[in-house]
Amino acid sequence: MVTVRFRDHSNFTYKDLLDLNDRDKSYASPLSVICHIDLNAFFAQCEQLRLGLAESDPVVCVQWNALIAVSYAARDYGITRMDRLEQAKLKCPHLIPAHTAVFKKGEPLWKYVDYVPSPINHKVSLDPYRREGKKVLNIFRENCDLVEKASVDESFMDLGRLIFAKIIELFPSLLDGMKDRTDELPKLDSIPESIDYKGFIINKSDELEPEPAIIGDSEEKNNIEFLVEDWDDLVTLIGSMICFDLRKKVEKILGYKTSGGIGRAKTIAKLASGFKKPDQQTIIRNDAIPNFLKHFKLSDFWSFGGKTGNYISEQLGEMSISSISKNYKTPIELAKLLDNNIELANKIFKIVRGELHDPITEKEQIKTMGANKNFRGKSVCNTNDLLPWINVFIGELILRIQDLDEENNTTLRPVKLTLGATSTTGVRHSKQCTISQPPKDYNQLRELFHTLSRDLLRNLEKLWGDAPMYPIVNASLTSSTFVDLTSFNTLDDLMSTVQKRKLDPTDVERNIPSSPPPLPIPKKKKYTIDSFLTEKKTSSDQSSTLNNSDENPPLEETSSDITDTKCPDCDEFIPSEEFQTHKDFHLAMALETKLNKEFEESYGEKLLKKGRSSAKTSKKFSKNQTKLPF
DNA sequence: TACTCACAG
DNA sequence: GGCTGTGAGTA
């Protein structure tokens, strides 16, 4: 399958090879190999595995009546993401629609519900998919020292060090012959039989018709020979083996099917991974890049899908990739047609030649974390309608911050909080404030978010002036500028480092929780079924509001007598004597959700005998200094 | 710093 | 289409 027929003189030097072993240089080496791995119909796969279904079951992931992911089994019935649920059911009567997890209005925790949720009093939670995506990412990080998460379901990897290690293992004496780094790499007569490519090769002059996807078609190669004429072919070949290995690890440990792309640059790898789906990978040899690219449009490249892409094709006229690279010999020629935007011209010039060699960068730190919801009709037409949703937002943010901490073993806290809303008239405003002393304690943070967001809301409402703000069609709460409190022991530490700016005195005052109220939802504690039952029994026995609140929290109707206390979790006004009972209800809810989650997780693990639990990658990534094999 | 826009998946 | 995220641009 692999034919070795080396040129007399290699186009590459020892330096090119050695650079692969350097995280900062490998992407720029002419021998660099990047792979891109994409989880196919990810949300649908998550639901399929969560529900213990087979790959052949026609699962779709549903949000209200829309399909947000269609499994490949469902695609066989002609179902696409454009279909509404009803249309999809007509196409496939035994369709399995799985709705996303949801937050109920006023509640701070998401869960999977056993009824069809309505957008009027629910908010979709994509948290389960983020968590699964993170597990996949961790597998990549454990096996590759340079991973760039491109989105929840796709990553780029720089395979330089892995390939370098493999080459040294195969040819231990390779570097002995080196006198100077600029020396030409030696000729190879043969390579060990154990080395064989994985995936579909794109060659110099193939007809490239991606064959239709076949479920269960896991044949991972087209039966053609891989011609190794120089070192770039060999590194690509080894890259395909590594990419395959990474993908199979994900499948074995977590159960997810992926597609992969292997190529010299990110743009090439990305287009390659989309070429054959699902559960396939595509190899782009360097000499095949022009042939591969001619089947794409400029708008197929990342960042050219929208307005800039339109602008470019307006200026240049609709043109294929190959004709752009043929017609314009220099970036200057291109820039002339692009309002002298030389930067853009340069980028296009490189992209059409497959020569845009951007580095793989680890997204060091989260920048923003937001929660938002679109409202239908006039379901939110005053402050009281909005408050329960803000509580949902807060609950969601706190949960995610908690996850973030557990995941990275850090204490990341946002220093900014932004509340935004769009009114029916299409006018959008937002208001943000600074959190000068973000507490480590989640309950205190929750309380702080409550006070701050209410302040923000008051200020936000003013921004509309005389124009009516309500009803609104969207609201969002975003936290940003995360700082790691782990290293700060005192407030002074934090203040001196984070807040060099002058502080608004009212800000400072606001940010100290007036009286940190002990919230009933406890933090990390092991719950037993017994304690769960006891808690729940107590609350249901005593609380008359429990049954009401379960499906339809009587939020607005509740009287707001001054003697009543507003529950910070759901904004209901609760008579003081009932307050503790009411709190217990929330506690029970929290426990129930937690238990559901734990059950689901361990159940899922059992389903996949190979042990999904091993993805609980406790191994910590030391931020920027991964140990290299050499 | 506060806010908007464009883009992606 | 609904939802979440990032980065650039603008006063």
Side-chain angles (χ1 to χ4, degrees), chain A residues 257-287:
Chain A
K257 296 283 169 82
T258 59
S259 61
I262 299 98
R264 162 73 177 80
K266 280 163 90 173
T267 52
I268 305 294
K270 163 97 177 157
L271 291 178
S273 75
F275 192 69
K276 272 194 146 287
K277 295 195 286 189
D279 201 23
Q280 306 282 340
Q281 67 180 46
T282 306
I283 310 164
I284 316 298
R285 298 167 53 93
N286 279 349
D287 59 11

Side-chain angles (χ1 to χ4, degrees), chain A residues 3-40:
Chain A
T3 307
V4 181
R5 203 185 306 134
F6 254 62
R7 300 187 182 104
D8 283 341
H9 292 285
S10 172
N11 291 331
F12 307 95
T13 64
Y14 282 97
K15 177 186 185 303
D16 297 333
L17 183 62
L18 289 166
D19 279 354
L20 289 186
N21 201 30
D22 186 330
R23 279 172 31 122
D24 300 324
K25 293 179 182 162
S26 76
Y27 75 93
S29 162
L31 289 178
S32 87
V33 180
I34 308 297
C35 88
H36 179 264
I37 299 182
D38 194 310
L39 290 138
N40 311 128

Side-chain angles (χ1 to χ4, degrees), chain A residues 428-567:
Chain A
R428 180 171 182 87
H429 285 301
S430 65
K431 191 80 187 168
Q432 64 178 261
C433 69
T434 308
I435 307 171
S436 44
Q437 301 168 25
K440 289 185 181 182
D441 180 87
Y442 300 118
N443 287 327
Q444 284 183 28
L445 187 65
R446 186 197 308 272
E447 281 308 293
L448 185 53
F449 276 16
H450 270 105
T451 22
L452 291 178
S453 57
R454 271 152 191 72
D455 266 8
L456 286 172
L457 179 53
R458 270 193 292 279
N459 288 317
L460 186 63
E461 285 170 340
K462 286 181 200 154
L463 279 181
W464 264 267
D466 292 334
M469 167 171 157
Y470 298 103
I472 54 172
V473 294
N474 172 279
S476 68
L477 187 67
T478 304
S479 53
S480 53
T481 322
F482 284 77
V483 295
D484 195 342
L485 298 190
T486 319
S487 51
F488 299 111
N489 291 320
T490 68
L491 277 176
D492 286 341
D493 278 351
L494 175 62
M495 295 305 287
S496 61
T497 319
V498 180
Q499 298 292 330
K500 294 233 163 81
R501 63 182 202 88
K502 56 184 182 331
L503 283 164
D504 176 0
T506 59
D507 253 9
V508 176
E509 200 185 338
R510 273 205 305 265
N511 288 352
I512 303 167
S514 40
S515 54
L519 274 182
I521 301 177
K523 311 199 295 179
K524 317 237 82 187
K525 196 174 107 185
K526 276 281 165 232
Y527 300 114
T528 63
I529 295 288
D530 278 351
S531 74
F532 166 60
L533 290 175
T534 336
E535 300 272 9
K536 189 171 182 181
K537 192 162 169 280
T538 319
S539 62
S540 67
D541 279 348
Q542 297 175 357
S543 171
S544 56
T545 60
L546 178 61
N547 289 333
N548 274 340
S549 311
D550 203 26
E551 265 317 311
N552 284 315
L555 289 160
E556 302 80 22
E557 304 89 331
T558 318
S559 77
S560 43
D561 282 354
I562 300 168
T563 56
D564 290 359
T565 314
K566 198 203 270 178
C567 169

Side-chain angles (χ1 to χ4, degrees), chain A residues 5 10 99-100 107 146 158 162 172 244 256 259 264 290 295 301 315 359 408 427 433 500-501 514 518 536 554 569:
Chain A
R5 203 185 306 134
S10 172
H99 200 283
T100 63
E107 286 179 13
L146 190 47
D158 182 326
L162 294 169
F244 183 77
Y256 296 115
S259 61
R264 162 73 177 80
H295 297 266
F301 288 91
Q315 299 298 306
N408 303 0
V427 180
C433 69
K500 294 233 163 81
R501 63 182 202 88
S514 40
K536 189 171 182 181
D569 287 325

Side-chain angles (χ1 to χ4, degrees), chain A residues 597-607:
Chain A
K597 224 161 63 188
E598 281 169 3
F599 172 74
E600 276 160 17
E601 274 165 11
S602 61
Y603 184 62
E605 276 163 26
K606 270 173 216 147
L607 280 169

